[in-house]
Amino acid sequence: MKIGVAQINPTVGDLRGNFDKILDAYRRLAAAGAELVLAPELAVTGYPPQDLVYKSRFVPQTLEVIARLHESVAEVPLLVGYVDRNKGRGKPFYNAAALLERGQPIRKSFKTLLPTYDVFDEDRYFEPGTGGEVFTVAGRQIGVTICEDIWTERYLPRALYEGEIVRGLVERG
């Protein structure tokens, strides 16, 4: 599978500008032969959105951008990071990735390992996911991780989290 990586620099809070950056990169990478295009963690909102998520229109407008991107995808799927609402218990939002495919419903995966050290305060805003999702894309199984979900203690000076998300995804196919 040829994966196009949208190496963009989203601006925190600039939903319209980030939409344009994502769509431009998507179109260039699809035209270059990508079979799947990946945009960064929280590409729609910029990272980290911090207290912007609590502004009454910010998350609804973020979801509108996801809908517009979904309408804009062609043959090549797009996996893009954004903030989603948590309609259940816990924190009000998810750090999410949306798989956007033409003619298909939006599929979502939520970040599980939320950093709370140094300058990071993700568990203030986000409910953790349950270990990533496995999606079929172009006939292939892909496991979706967001940032630290792929980290393992084998590559870190000390363990930061319990469990390994990637191992769980592999076990699920």
Side-chain angles (χ1 to χ4, degrees), residues 11 18 24 40-41 46 67 74 78 80-81 127 129 136 146 149 152 155-156:
T11 300
N18 294 340
D24 179 60
E41 175 182 15
L78 170 64
V80 60
E127 182 68 15
T136 301
I146 301 172
D149 289 350
T152 66
Y155 300 106
L156 299 172

Side-chain angles (χ1 to χ4, degrees), residues 58 69 92 94 113 148 151 157 173:
F58 188 74
L69 285 168
Y94 286 110
L113 303 178
E148 295 193 29
W151 295 9

Side-chain angles (χ1 to χ4, degrees), residues 1-77:
M1 173 180 277
K2 292 181 182 178
I3 298 173
V5 178
Q7 295 181 328
I8 61 173
N9 186 15
T11 300
V12 173
D14 185 7
L15 301 178
R16 180 175 302 163
N18 294 340
F19 169 85
D20 292 339
K21 289 176 185 179
I22 294 163
L23 191 56
D24 179 60
Y26 168 81
R27 288 178 174 157
R28 283 185 291 105
L29 291 163
E35 298 172 82
L36 172 65
V37 173
L38 305 179
E41 175 182 15
L42 295 173
V44 171
T45 60
Y47 184 88
Q50 296 180 313
D51 285 352
L52 281 174
V53 297
Y54 292 122
K55 295 210 171 269
S56 64
R57 291 291 304 141
F58 188 74
V59 174
Q61 288 172 338
T62 297
L63 298 175
E64 290 170 11
V65 169
I66 288 295
R68 286 180 53 214
L69 285 168
H70 191 208
E71 293 169 358
S72 301
V73 296
E75 295 296 322
V76 177

